[in-house]
Structure formats: C-alpha cells, structure tokens
C-alpha cells in the first residue's frame, strides 16, 4: 500500500478542548474566590496547623470503641435494609424478568429517586422528622444504598442468559417462581459481592452520620474539632482509619474469594 | 441472624420504635406540602452553581494528581514493587476517610467557604480515581505492550503508546462515575461549612423553613438525575463508540 492510498490522518482538536477546560476552570476559581497562591504562601501555617495533630490521645479508648461498634452496627443494619429493598425491587426493575412495562418503569424510577437524594440529606430529613438516634441513620443509609443495590441486582439479573428464564417459564412457572428459582440462584455470588461492597461504603458513611445527629462516631469527631481538642481528634481519626481500613481489606478479601 | 439480634440492641433498634415513629414522620411530610418560597430562587440558583463549580474544580484537580499516581500504582506500569506498594497503600489510606471528615479538618484549617470543600473533595477523589486508573491499566492486553517493546520502546513509551490508549475508555467511564459521586458529595459538604447548597439545607431545616427545604431537595434531585442521564448517554457513546472503532 503506497502512502497516497492511505486515508487522511484524522484531525484532532484535543489541545483546543484542553485549553477550553483550563479557561473554564480558571473562571470557576475566580467565581468561587479561591486563590491558590495564598495556599502556597501560607504553607508554613498549614504545616504548623497539621503539627497540632501530632500527639494522639487514646485515654478514652473505651468510649471510642463503643461508638465505633455502634457505627458498624448502623452500617450493618443499613445494609440489611438496603438488601431487602434491592431484593424486593430488582426483579421488577430487570427488563428480562419484569411482569409488565408499568411495573418496570415504576421500579426503575423508584430506584433512581432513592439513589439521587444524598444519604446525609435523607438523614437530615429523618432526624428532624423522627428524632435523634441511630434509627434515622439506619433508615437513611438503607434507603439510599437500597437504590444502588436494586440497580446492581437488576443489571446482574439482566446479564443472566435468557435461556434459563425461558426454560423455567416453559414448565409453567409464574413470576415469583421465575424470580426465586431462575433469577436469584444464578446471580447469588454477584449479589453477595455487591452487598459486601455496599457494607464497606456504609461503614464509611455511617462514621459521618453523627454530624446531623444520626448516631455513631461522627458527632464525637465534630465536637472534638470544635473544641480544638486536636489530640483527641487525632485519636478518633486514627481509630476511624484503622477500622475502615481493616473492613475494606476484609471485604476485598472475601470478594476475591467469591469470584 | 444472631449478629442481627445482638447489634439491634446496640442501635436501640426495635420494630415498636419504627411503628411509633411513623406518625411523626407523616406529620413532618405534611409540613413539606407547602407552596415553595419563590423569593429564595435567586439565592438557590447561585448556591447550586457554586455546588456544581466545586464539583468540577475538585474533579479536575484530582484528575491531574491521580493520573501519575494511578500509573505508579498499577502493577504492570510501576517502576518497582516498592513504589507500587507505597502508592497503593497511600491511596487506600486516603480513601478510608470519608470526604466529610476531610472537610471538617480542612474547614478548621482554612476557614469557611468553598476552598476547604474543593480541597476535601479533591483529596478523596484522588484516592478513588487513582485506584480506578491503576485497575484499568492492570487489565490492559499484553499483545500491544509486547509489540511496542519489540520496537525498542523504553518504559515511558510503552506506557504512553500502548497502555494508556487501551485503558482510555475505562478511564472515561470511571471519570463519569466519579463526577456523579462528587456532585452528590458536594451537595452535602455545606453541612460542615465547606460551601455549596448543603449549608442552606441545614439552616432551613433548623429554622423550619419547609417552603425552602422542598425547593432545595427538588433541585438537588433534578440536578443529580440530569447528570446521571447525561453520563449514561456519554458513556454509551464514548465506550461503545470506541469499541466499534477498534473492531473495524
């Protein structure tokens, strides 16, 4: 093949796009009144500030572990609720299994709605409607991540080879039977993986739910930072990192076993 | 099951509690059925714009930082196992703290306003995006890599000409996912005073301004849904479009 038979080289406008993006970002920074040069000049203050976190104070570790346990329990219950929601709605939202077009649309829009509202906002709403304590936290986490789990579940139900559904429908199975005998058994492992991933995420989230009064360790962290108790704040942050890190590691390990 | 029962005590969970809280919940929801406060509209729009701007700026900063970190944290692109392990674990530690905790720390370091929000969001996003990038580089096909190596390319050239082009659709997919996640996070960052719509949300909740709450909730819902739809379409076009091109 000679060079004149080759098609012309495609034109790319990557640089123009990059320039445009940079311009937009500069405009945004201007609009937000953010000045990164002050950040650079103030580096000594920043170093000084972060040096205050140098000495963790673990004297109240009993209190912290009790709070941490409560945080994990909130995440656990939230995940259970989310699983229940996902389990109930996913077959309707899945295109391959759904009994009708209307139920498909309704289930999908419900899941979309649950996912779209941030969980802390849900927690705010629940706290101001049913009072302080862990229950609003559980409900907020459960509803928000239920939207995610429902979506994930319905997508994996769609990925199952449709022959399985056809086979069981051919022997006269109705909708719940198709779901229970063909749907869930084929996606069991994926489901467990997704649920673990959501549990992981929920532990991370439930540690900040306390900020709005929904139980857990978040309130303690907020209070210590407000009272400038940097030593206790460091201890709390280290506690959080340790717990979340180990749960993250554990769930990654179990998920890799599942595959 | 046993775990459920034991932990129920810990969170003061009981079905009586749920049933009893049904009534206040319905009362509260009735309060929300009011005429929205249209005077609040201009302020709402500026705050929503601020939220979107925080999202974009933080994601862009994180993109620039996590690109080299992602390459260092990928097993097949990293220069040596030590650097690979160090970056991997660094990214894990960054990820393990939620953005609101970072925001709390940055707010008390830098003061109120959007700057700590951008910083907190950027830091957490670096943790996630670096991991996603590394993972999409690790699953790159070996053939193209060997082909480039056979031409005598050095390490940087291998990464630039064979690994990155293959990982690009994956990159874009995770970028869109992160943008989605960050918008949701930016909407609540204001809770700790880090800019955005969250602050107005908390304030109107405390002052029982139900006619504002309903507006804020609806606008966040609309914005998130809009971005969600947009990112689904973009993903379809970019990822599947490129896959078709590669097949030809």
């Amino acid at each position: 093949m000679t060079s004149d038979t080759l098609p012309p080289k495609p034109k790319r406008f990557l640089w123009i796009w990059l320039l445009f993006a940079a311009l937009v970002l500069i405009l945004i920074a201007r609009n937000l009144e953010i000045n990164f040069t002050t950040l650079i000049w103030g580096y000594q203050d920043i170093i000084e500030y972060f040096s205050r976190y140098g000495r963790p104070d673990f004297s109240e570790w009993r209190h912290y572990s009790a709070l941490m346990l409560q945080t994990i329990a909130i995440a656990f219950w939230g995940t259970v609720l989310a699983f229940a929601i996902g389990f109930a709605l996913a077959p309707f939202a899945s295109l391959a299994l759904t009994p009708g077009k209307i139920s498909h649309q309704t289930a999908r829009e419900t899941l979309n709605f649950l996912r779209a509202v941030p969980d802390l906002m849900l927690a705010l709403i629940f706290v101001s409607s049913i009072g302080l304590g862990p229950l609003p936290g559980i409900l907020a986490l459960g509803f928000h991540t239920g939207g995610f789990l429902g979506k994930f579940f319905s997508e994996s139900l769609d990925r199952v080879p449709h022959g399985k559904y056809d086979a069981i429908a051919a022997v006269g199975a109705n909708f719940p039977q198709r779901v229970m005998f063909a749907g869930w058994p084929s996606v069991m492992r994926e489901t467990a993986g997704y649920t673990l991933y959501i549990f992981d995420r929920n532990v991370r989230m439930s540690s900040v739910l306390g900020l709005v009064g929904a139980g857990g360790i978040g309130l303690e962290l907020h209070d210590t930072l407000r009272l400038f108790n940097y030593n206790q704040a460091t201890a709390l942050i280290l506690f959080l990192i340790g717990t979340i890190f180990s749960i993250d590691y554990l769930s990654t390990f179990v998920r890799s076993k599942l595959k | 099951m046993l775990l459920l029962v034991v932990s129920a005590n810990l969170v003061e969970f009981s079905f009586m509690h749920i049933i009893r809280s049904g009534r206040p919940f319905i009362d509260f929801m009735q309060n929300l059925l009011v005429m929205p406060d249209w005077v609040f509209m201009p302020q709402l729009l500026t705050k929503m714009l601020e939220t979107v701007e925080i999202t974009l700026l933080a994601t862009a900063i994180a993109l620039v930082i996590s690109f080299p970190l992602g390459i260092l944290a990928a097993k097949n692109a990293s220069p040596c196992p030590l650097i690979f392990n160090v970056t991997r674990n660094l990214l894990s530690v960054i990820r393990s703290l939620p953005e609101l905790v970072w925001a709390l720390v940055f707010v008390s370091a830098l003061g109120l306003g959007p700057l700590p929000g951008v910083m907190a969001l950027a830091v957490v996003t670096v943790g996630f995006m670096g991991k996603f990038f590394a993972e999409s580089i690790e699953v790159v096909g070996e053939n193209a890599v060997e082909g480039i190596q056979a031409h005598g390319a050095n390490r940087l050239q291998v990464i630039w000409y064979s690994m990155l082009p293959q990982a690009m659709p994956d990159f874009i997919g995770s970028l869109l996912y992160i943008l989605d996640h960050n918008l949701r996070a930016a909407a609540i960052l204001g809770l700790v005073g880090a800019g955005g719509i969250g602050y107005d949300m908390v304030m109107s909740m405390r002052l029982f301004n139900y006619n504002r709450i309903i507006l804020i909730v609806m606008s966040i819902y609309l914005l998130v849904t809009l971005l969600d739809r947009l990112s689904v379409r973009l993903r379809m076009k970019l990822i599947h479009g490129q896959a078709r091109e590669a097949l030809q």
Side-chain angles (χ1 to χ4, degrees), chain B residues 147-204:
Chain B
I148 296 262
Q149 267 169 353
H151 282 79
N154 62 21
R155 194 167 203 102
L156 264 178
Q157 285 169 329
V158 169
I159 293 173
W160 187 252
Y161 289 110
S162 77
M163 288 180 176
L164 291 186
Q166 285 190 66
M168 204 43 95
D170 248 14
F171 275 9
I172 294 168
S174 40
L175 183 67
L176 286 175
Y177 165 75
I178 281 181
L179 210 59
D180 214 49
H181 174 258
N182 276 358
L183 180 64
R184 225 170 279 146
I188 47 178
L189 274 179
L191 229 64
V192 293
I197 188 80
Y199 185 70
D200 287 57
M201 171 89 192
V202 180
M203 270 309 149
S204 9

Side-chain angles (χ1 to χ4, degrees), chain A residues 34-43:
Chain A
I34 289 176
N35 201 345
F36 286 102
T37 47
T38 54
L39 210 62
I40 295 162
W41 288 118
Y43 76 99

Side-chain angles (χ1 to χ4, degrees), chain B residues 91-217:
Chain B
L91 291 177
S92 282
V93 171
I94 291 176
R95 257 180 299 138
S96 65
L97 279 185
E99 50 268 274
L100 266 175
V101 175
W102 285 105
L104 264 179
V105 171
F106 280 120
V107 164
S108 61
L110 304 165
L112 299 168
L115 180 61
V118 171
M119 299 274 288
L121 212 53
V123 167
V124 179
T125 309
V126 164
F128 276 100
M129 205 136 67
K131 186 191 169 219
F132 290 153
F133 280 3
E135 277 171 359
S136 48
I137 291 177
E138 275 174 3
V139 296
V140 145
E142 270 300 301
N143 290 345
V145 176
E146 277 170 17
I148 296 262
Q149 267 169 353
H151 282 79
N154 62 21
R155 194 167 203 102
L156 264 178
Q157 285 169 329
V158 169
I159 293 173
W160 187 252
Y161 289 110
S162 77
M163 288 180 176
L164 291 186
Q166 285 190 66
M168 204 43 95
D170 248 14
F171 275 9
I172 294 168
S174 40
L175 183 67
L176 286 175
Y177 165 75
I178 281 181
L179 210 59
D180 214 49
H181 174 258
N182 276 358
L183 180 64
R184 225 170 279 146
I188 47 178
L189 274 179
L191 229 64
V192 293
I197 188 80
Y199 185 70
D200 287 57
M201 171 89 192
V202 180
M203 270 309 149
S204 9
M205 201 62 116
R206 287 203 182 140
L207 300 172
F208 305 107
N209 276 333
Y210 295 106
N211 43 10
R212 291 188 176 186
I213 295 170
I214 188 84
L215 260 183
I216 295 172
V217 173

Side-chain angles (χ1 to χ4, degrees), chain A residues 54-98:
Chain A
R55 291 177 305 280
D57 171 16
F58 281 105
S59 54
E60 286 190 63
W61 62 274
R62 277 168 207 282
H63 183 49
Y64 296 161
S65 358
L67 280 176
M68 202 66 233
L69 265 181
Q70 195 192 37
T71 307
I72 295 173
I74 290 174
F76 184 60
W77 270 91
T79 315
V80 171
L81 181 60
F83 184 80
I85 291 174
F87 192 82
L89 286 181
F92 292 98
S94 147
L95 204 57
L97 275 174
T98 190

